[in-house]
Amino acid sequence: MEQRALKPSRRNLLVGLGGAAIAAMVALPLVRSTGSDRARRILAANPLTRRFVSLVHAEQDEWTAQVGATFAAAGGYRLRLAGVEPLPSAGDRPAEVTRQSAFLAVFDVLDGKSMAGDLIYAVSHPEYGAMPLFLSASARPGRMVALFN
């Protein structure tokens, strides 16, 4: 009996990709909700898989690694992450808080623009994708801050 080489058909390829997409949709909420630090670090370490985790849920070190990155914000704003500052957060943390400690992300508003503070902006990072950020105006003109607890 003669054996034929198996070639994936378009249908099999689409079924396989669809299955992978469904598996990702099921697995990713589990990674996010359980706060699996190891899984998150693996996904965040690769620029191709960063879109599967949100920078909104990241720890201070992950934000610090993005210092200098440019973010796009709704309204045509561009922001550059100028720095990340640790905040005192002594004592036991509430169970619903997933971070080890609090920190402040400091952004410079680019292109000489100014933004209204104390609003939730749709912000997008080139690798992490879109995220909502509550941004407050800093005492320094042209600077915005986001508090992460």
Side-chain angles (χ1 to χ4, degrees), residues 84-125:
V84 179
E85 301 172 9
L87 295 174
S89 50
D92 292 335
R93 300 191 46 84
E96 66 273 6
V97 176
T98 59
R99 286 190 182 80
Q100 302 289 334
S101 61
F103 62 91
L104 195 67
V106 181
F107 295 92
D108 287 330
V109 183
L110 302 178
D111 306 321
K113 294 184 177 182
S114 62
M115 299 172 69
D118 298 335
L119 292 172
I120 298 173
Y121 285 92
V123 176
S124 182
H125 182 274

Side-chain angles (χ1 to χ4, degrees), residues 9-23:
S9 67
R10 277 189 237 156
R11 180 176 182 226
N12 289 344
L13 183 61
L14 287 174
V15 169
L17 289 174
I22 290 170

Side-chain angles (χ1 to χ4, degrees), residues 22-68:
I22 290 170
M25 287 189 309
V26 170
L28 290 176
L30 294 175
V31 170
R32 288 183 183 143
S33 66
T34 61
S36 171
D37 191 45
R38 182 171 181 234
R40 178 180 177 73
R41 287 185 189 279
I42 290 169
L43 292 173
N46 185 334
L48 297 175
T49 56
R50 280 190 186 137
R51 286 198 181 272
F52 295 120
V53 292
S54 177
L55 198 52
V56 167
H57 303 291
E59 294 283 346
Q60 180 179 340
D61 61 338
E62 201 170 330
W63 274 94
T64 300
Q66 296 306 313
V67 169

